[in-house]
Amino acid sequence: MPALPTIPIADPAEGEADLVRRAAAGEAQAVRAIIRSHNQRLYRLVRAVLRNNADAEDVLQEAYLRAFANLGGFQGEASLSTWLSRIALNAALMRLRAQKRMKRATPAPELAKAEIIPFPHASSTADPERVMAQRQLLHLVEEATDALPETFRLVFVARVIEGLSVEETAALLELAPATVKTRLHRARKLIRMRLEERIGPVLVEAFPFAGERCERLTQAVLSKLGLEE
């Protein structure tokens, strides 16, 4: 098993240091707080490598177990977020390499379509037709992101989806800042090209006026015309 990632030393925030100390001592509340505050970022980074929901969740769990087992040795390297992100990325890359070796040894008849990250459901009061159109568009964006080559996908997820700065992304992925900028530019271009190819069918459903809204207007007009059934 490879050694834990090393990151340039930085002064950790006092609150974070205390949380780490309590978690290392086995305090469940502190462990829960760390997991909840980092889950979304770590999951997205891991999934950017594996492109599969189930695999990403499994690997993320392994990464957490490894991180908490070694939390006592955490000395404020950069930030806890960066430290955990590097551990999670290493775990995801290890799983990906293992999967590739397995595929070479046992060719699969057909690759399963990658699962798509589910976006939060809209509230029950939202317009159902517009919600459907939004979900279609989000689905296309997710598919376009999944279709990016891994080197571009990781940078895109870190910079655009997670909102990390160029410097933070460079430190996380061990790249030069100029490389991050170049890959992000290329990733955006690839996503834009893919969306342009597929956006037509979605735009047909733009500005929907059907279902409940259509029926409500129809009944209102009939009522005003004195033609209620």
Side-chain angles (χ1 to χ4, degrees):
M1 182 176 293
L4 290 175
T6 57
I7 303 170
I9 299 296
D11 293 329
E14 187 63 31
E16 179 177 278
D18 180 63
L19 191 64
V20 169
R21 178 187 57 77
R22 289 160 47 206
E27 184 181 317
Q29 185 176 357
V31 171
R32 186 186 300 275
I34 289 175
I35 292 176
R36 285 182 171 176
S37 62
H38 294 88
N39 251 349
Q40 179 165 287
R41 170 176 295 182
L42 298 185
Y43 175 81
R44 285 174 168 172
L45 290 174
V46 169
R47 195 190 178 285
V49 175
L50 299 171
R51 292 187 293 175
N52 179 280
N53 290 348
D55 285 346
E57 187 172 339
D58 186 42
V59 166
L60 183 54
Q61 179 174 285
E62 294 175 3
Y64 274 131
L65 292 174
R66 185 180 176 205
F68 285 118
N70 292 275
L71 200 56
F74 177 74
Q75 299 297 324
E77 300 167 338
S79 68
L80 181 61
S81 176
T82 302
W83 188 72
L84 290 172
S85 295
R86 293 280 284 276
I87 292 174
L89 277 177
N90 283 345
L93 292 170
M94 287 176 60
R95 173 67 67 90
L96 184 63
R97 286 192 289 268
Q99 289 175 345
K100 288 180 178 179
R101 287 196 298 270
M102 186 177 297
K103 287 178 181 178
R104 286 195 296 266
T106 327
E110 183 177 353
L111 292 176
K113 183 178 179 181
E115 296 181 65
I116 302 299
I117 303 174
F119 275 68
H121 294 291
S123 66
S124 57
T125 58
D127 176 57
E129 291 81 24
R130 184 160 298 282
V131 169
M132 179 66 70
Q134 289 172 340
R135 285 179 178 171
Q136 286 180 298
L137 184 57
L138 289 174
H139 184 79
L140 290 181
V141 172
E142 291 172 336
E143 282 188 331
T145 302
D146 270 347
L148 289 172
E150 180 184 314
T151 53
F152 298 151
R153 190 168 62 249
L154 283 171
V155 169
F156 183 81
V157 169
R159 285 282 288 118
V160 177
I161 297 180
E162 280 306 311
L164 300 185
S165 67
V166 171
E167 293 72 20
E168 288 171 328
T169 303
L172 176 62
L173 302 178
E174 298 182 315
L175 299 170
T179 302
V180 170
K181 294 178 182 179
T182 300
R183 291 184 181 181
L184 178 61
H185 175 76
R186 181 60 176 161
R188 283 174 166 159
K189 183 177 180 180
L190 290 173
I191 285 182
R192 183 169 62 250
M193 291 171 58
R194 186 175 179 88
L195 289 178
E196 287 174 353
E197 292 173 355
R198 304 194 58 189
I199 201 68
V202 175
L203 289 180
V204 172
E205 303 298 329
F207 306 107
F209 196 85
E212 292 182 6
R213 290 198 301 164
C214 177
E215 181 62 24
R216 185 170 62 247
L217 179 65
T218 302
Q219 291 300 324
V221 172
L222 288 173
S223 178
K224 290 181 181 297
L225 292 174
L227 299 175
E228 291 193 66
E229 298 174 339

